[in-house]
Amino acid sequence: MTRSVYVTGIDRSDGRQVVELGVMELLTRRVDRVGVFRPLVHDGPDRMFELLRSRFRLSQDATTVHGMDYHEASALQAERGTDELVSTLVDRFHRVARDYDVVLVLGTDFAATQLPDELALNARLANEFGAAVIPVVGGRGQSAESVLAETRNAHRAYQGLGCDVLAMVANRVERADRDLVAERLGPLLPVPGYVLPEEPALSAPTVAQVVSALGATVVLGDDAGLARDALDFVFGGAMLPNLLPALTPGCLVVTPGDRADLVVGALAAHSAGTPPIAGVLLTLDEVPSQEILTLADRLAPGTPVLSVAEGSFPTAAELFSLEGKLNAATPRKAETAIGLFERHVDTADLLGRVSAPSTGRVTPMMFEHELLEQARSDKRRVVLPEGTEERVLHAAEVLLRRGVCELTLLGPVDTIRKKAADLGVDLADAQLVDPATSELRESFAQRYAAVRAHKGVTVELAYDVVSDVNYFGTLMVQEGLADGMVSGSVHSTAATIRPAFEIIKTRADARIVSSVFFMCLADKVLVYGDCAVNPDPDAEQLADIATQSAATAARFGVEPRIAMLSYSTGSSGSGADVDKVREATALVRARRPDLRIEGPIQYDAAVEPSVAATKLPGSEVAGQASVLIFPDLNTGNNTYKAVQRSAGAIAVGPVLQGLRKPVNDLSRGALVGDIVNTVAITAIQAQTPAD
């Protein structure tokens, strides 16, 4: 029977969506076919399923997710009894379960469902589904004693009804009580008890949700601005000098529409980053003149300015009743939720308790999950020289919210803060450094001049060089102020890696610096090298690329089986290009007899078992190669791009190898997810220092 996890509760407003997201994150690390089933659903769109489907790339048909709606369930229970209701839901559950390796079940929400003894119904359904249960207890506004008592009672209730309780979660606990509750909960339970604190960014509505709830008109603003969280509401009626001290980070300023001075003042404060606000909400159906709006748009581009017809009092009543909702349109909230879950839940232990079968396949999502988990297990500091680049700022927020690593962003600090404010990005936990004004600039100049003295570099010249963000970031890595560096989203490969060649240099066991791409296909991850650095490596260099790539593959969980690629397989061809590959293969075998390697070999014989059986029968690499070494940059670069675009593969890289300390280059077309993955890889590389 399919092993399933049933997330349920004891009452409404427990915020269990955080737990549902976190559990789905765990399940997709182990298996690639995870289904979702919600036994009972209200009318309207299922926001949680849409979020799960978009975030975790679920292919499940939305029509199969729901058992039945609450009205149908209530009528069925009244007419035919609970047994008939349960039997129907069990049948519908198994229609889903048969198609998936594991199913995440989303329990009922206790919200005006008109079902008697809803807790008992959830417990019975979990038992009939053969699902382990994770009950969630809401702690918002409760004392520590009350949270402890309710969590213990909830465990007793579900256990008493025969449930296999996997763990207990107390969610939305007051931040001041979180550690105390976590310390005292453990001895009260025979299963793990996890305590998640209240997170303002999750309970706060986004500006877009304010627009929807109030029927507001968007006067100014873009999509990024509308995605900001409204963490607070500040009502402006007094003079501007009295308003400014009242502004708080992430607040939505509510003011009558005829107070142009407050509108301009609040946006000017946002532009200066003191503090960044979520936006401005104008009441009384009044909007400032076009001249004021033009000035507002120039002061804080993208920052929302909204308008409603109501006055301040009814508007306030509606605002204070709003609560943030997780859905597919709030990906930043999803990152916050998963980060919260991962910080306060022993995810490795919880995953070990779920008896979901491992499929043995490695999907792109599994690989990405593993990267973040490895990086998080031993956090390192990564410096990002391109601190004013929008994609880098969004990636930095994801990395910080997920707790993947510590970050230093380089660039003019005021510019970074203003850009982050315009994007609604929270960089509170990041270190910001301006190379031009940093107190490190002088000592870095001395260090660089000493390293490059043989090239005639003086301290005066070095002083100018180290103000460059890539040189400054590289020196931070060399001097141990950061563990690795990632750049290249707006810089060329040469500008990114040249400082590393000059300052960090190659490892003692490496002849050259080379690169690999992790090619995440539908059911496996392949390692391609070298596709970014060396134009035409000779046999010695090609052998070095092969051994480096094998080590990189093993470091990231890919068992190395090396294919030295050529247009000829085995002894069937000859010529300088084939001979180079043949010589490189022999060098690897002589130097590293422990490595499994085949070459020269054609690509199809390397990865396709049926072709391998014909061309190289009996080979332990042919047909199952995982590390593919290309004979030159032209072949490698074109092949990785062809596979990426034609086969829909996710290409993670280039990952540089052979340096004493990790520096990695981004494609200038890198997406936010690419940057996140590359930073995680860099942090993992830094966990194993060079000899």
Side-chain angles (χ1 to χ4, degrees):
M1 178 181 292
T2 300
R3 180 63 163 175
S4 304
V5 179
Y6 196 117
V7 179
T8 182
I10 61 171
D11 204 347
R12 62 185 304 179
S13 300
D14 52 28
R16 82 183 71 155
Q17 293 85 359
V18 173
V19 180
E20 292 167 347
L21 264 174
V23 171
M24 177 62 86
E25 181 89 3
L26 291 183
L27 294 177
T28 53
R29 288 180 192 173
R30 176 170 290 182
V31 296
D32 62 322
R33 296 190 308 140
V34 181
V36 178
F37 185 72
R38 189 188 292 278
L40 300 174
V41 65
H42 293 284
D43 291 336
D46 187 338
R47 290 190 300 267
M48 191 61 195
F49 174 68
E50 291 305 318
L51 171 57
L52 293 174
R53 179 162 65 173
S54 65
R55 179 176 181 82
F56 298 102
R57 308 164 201 162
L58 305 181
S59 59
Q60 184 175 355
D61 186 337
T63 61
T64 68
V65 173
H66 305 133
M68 64 181 72
D69 65 44
Y70 282 101
H71 296 300
E72 181 186 357
S74 182
L76 181 60
Q77 188 176 41
E79 294 175 10
R80 301 186 183 179
T82 300
D83 287 349
E84 186 65 24
L85 171 63
V86 170
S87 176
T88 303
L89 292 175
V90 169
D91 180 60
R92 293 178 184 179
F93 165 78
H94 283 298
R95 294 178 191 174
V96 173
R98 69 191 178 197
D99 293 328
Y100 297 94
D101 300 311
V102 63
V103 177
L104 173 63
V105 184
L106 313 178
T108 67
D109 60 12
F110 295 84
T113 59
Q114 300 181 342
L115 291 172
D117 202 355
E118 202 164 337
L119 187 152
L121 176 62
N122 279 289
R124 182 169 176 189
L125 289 175
N127 291 337
E128 297 290 351
F129 294 170
V133 176
I134 302 179
V136 182
V137 174
R140 191 178 198 185
Q142 296 192 52
S143 67
E145 292 296 335
S146 177
V147 173
L148 289 166
E150 285 207 13
T151 306
R152 180 177 57 188
N153 291 339
H155 175 266
R156 288 175 177 171
Y158 279 101
Q159 187 179 55
L161 291 167
C163 292
D164 174 15
V165 179
L166 203 62
M168 296 294 301
V169 178
N171 190 31
R172 308 188 76 174
V173 175
E174 296 295 329
R175 283 186 167 271
D177 294 335
R178 188 266 158 197
D179 291 345
L180 174 64
V181 174
E183 179 183 347
R184 294 179 56 188
L185 186 59
L188 298 179
L189 300 172
V191 298
Y194 304 117
V195 183
L196 279 58
E198 180 72 79
E199 173 52 64
L202 289 177
S203 55
T206 64
V207 178
Q209 289 170 340
V210 171
V211 171
S212 177
L214 274 60
T217 300
V218 179
V219 180
L220 293 175
D222 56 21
D223 289 343
L226 293 171
R228 298 177 191 172
D229 296 320
L231 299 175
D232 191 11
F233 303 111
V234 173
F235 292 82
M239 299 301 290
L240 180 60
N242 295 320
L243 172 70
L244 293 179
L247 298 179
T248 58
C251 70
L252 182 67
V253 178
V254 184
T255 182
D258 59 358
R259 291 298 304 272
D261 59 327
L262 301 186
V263 174
V264 172
L267 293 176
H270 171 85
S271 179
T274 54
I277 64 174
V280 178
L281 175 60
L282 308 174
T283 61
L284 300 174
D285 207 18
E286 295 217 19
V287 178
S289 67
Q290 187 57 50
E291 291 81 4
I292 295 296
L293 291 178
T294 300
L295 174 60
D297 194 33
R298 289 177 179 173
L299 275 172
T303 297
V305 175
L306 317 176
S307 175
V308 294
E310 299 287 347
S312 295
F313 184 79
T315 299
E318 290 192 70
L319 287 174
F320 286 122
S321 67
L322 278 180
E323 189 165 344
K325 301 292 184 184
L326 284 166
N327 56 49
T330 58
R332 291 174 59 214
K333 283 189 183 294
E335 294 292 350
T336 300
I338 293 175
L340 183 72
F341 183 86
E342 291 173 334
R343 282 195 300 275
H344 298 288
V345 173
D346 186 342
T347 54
D349 180 68
L350 184 58
L351 184 58
R353 292 172 174 269
V354 179
S355 58
S358 176
T359 59
R361 300 170 64 193
V362 180
T363 67
M365 183 169 293
M366 291 179 192
F367 183 71
E368 291 171 357
H369 286 333
E370 185 59 28
L371 288 180
L372 300 188
E373 188 65 23
Q374 281 191 58
R376 192 183 298 111
S377 68
D378 183 10
K379 289 173 70 170
R380 300 292 162 141
R381 178 171 293 278
V382 178
V383 59
L384 305 177
E386 299 161 327
T388 59
E389 164 60 28
E390 181 174 329
R391 290 164 294 161
V392 171
L393 290 171
H394 281 302
E397 184 180 43
V398 172
L399 291 159
L400 292 170
R401 290 190 177 201
R402 298 290 300 275
V404 175
C405 61
E406 297 176 338
L407 291 177
T408 297
L409 278 70
L410 302 184
V413 172
D414 289 343
T415 303
I416 295 174
R417 285 181 176 151
K418 184 181 185 303
K419 187 73 172 180
D422 290 340
L423 297 171
V425 167
D426 180 8
L427 295 179
D429 294 329
Q431 178 189 37
L432 308 182
V433 177
D434 184 354
T437 60
S438 171
E439 60 185 16
L440 295 170
R441 185 175 176 182
E442 182 64 42
S443 62
F444 280 4
Q446 297 281 352
R447 181 78 171 103
Y448 181 69
V451 170
R452 302 294 289 173
H454 66 288
K455 293 292 186 178
V457 175
T458 64
V459 174
E460 290 75 17
L461 178 59
Y463 191 76
D464 291 333
V465 171
V466 301
S467 66
D468 176 90
V469 289
N470 285 315
Y471 275 95
F472 193 92
T474 303
L475 282 159
M476 287 189 72
V477 175
Q478 178 64 22
E479 297 301 297
L481 300 174
D483 300 300
M485 185 181 93
V486 174
S487 187
S489 67
V490 292
H491 288 93
S492 67
T493 295
T496 299
I497 66 176
R498 184 187 299 114
F501 289 164
E502 295 178 0
I503 298 165
I504 294 176
K505 303 182 179 178
T506 58
R507 297 170 60 116
D509 60 351
R511 291 171 173 80
I512 58 171
V513 173
S514 61
S515 73
V516 296
F517 277 90
F518 290 96
M519 302 299 295
C520 302
L521 304 174
D523 60 351
K524 59 186 173 183
V525 176
L526 299 177
V527 177
Y528 283 9
D530 175 6
C531 304
V533 179
N534 297 285
D536 188 18
D538 60 26
E540 284 274 355
Q541 293 172 328
L542 203 57
D544 198 47
I545 293 170
T547 55
Q548 288 185 32
S549 301
T552 300
R555 180 69 183 85
F556 291 93
V558 177
E559 183 181 357
R561 295 183 293 273
I562 308 168
M564 304 294 286
L565 298 176
S566 174
Y567 60 78
S568 173
T569 295
S571 58
S572 63
S574 61
D577 292 337
V578 179
D579 291 341
K580 178 180 77 169
V581 174
R582 185 174 289 116
E583 181 184 349
T585 305
L587 288 171
V588 174
R589 284 178 173 148
R591 294 169 184 169
R592 293 289 306 276
D594 57 305
L595 292 176
R596 287 182 287 179
I597 186 169
E598 191 70 68
I601 186 172
Q602 292 162 289
Y603 191 100
D604 59 348
V607 300
E608 175 53 51
S610 61
V611 177
T614 301
K615 293 189 173 183
L616 278 177
S619 170
E620 59 180 355
V621 171
Q624 51 182 341
S626 58
V627 178
L628 296 107
I629 307 302
F630 295 91
D632 53 61
L633 187 60
N634 181 51
T635 308
N637 192 268
N638 278 294
T639 302
Y640 107 75
K641 288 180 178 177
V643 173
Q644 179 186 31
R645 300 302 177 186
S646 301
I650 295 175
V652 180
V655 177
L656 298 184
Q657 50 195 13
L659 289 169
R660 292 181 183 273
K661 295 185 178 183
V663 171
N664 281 312
D665 179 37
L666 295 166
S667 163
R668 274 171 279 182
L671 303 176
V672 171
D674 301 328
I675 299 171
V676 169
N677 288 335
T678 303
V679 172
I681 284 174
T682 305
I684 295 167
Q685 287 178 310
Q687 293 170 356
T688 307
D691 296 332

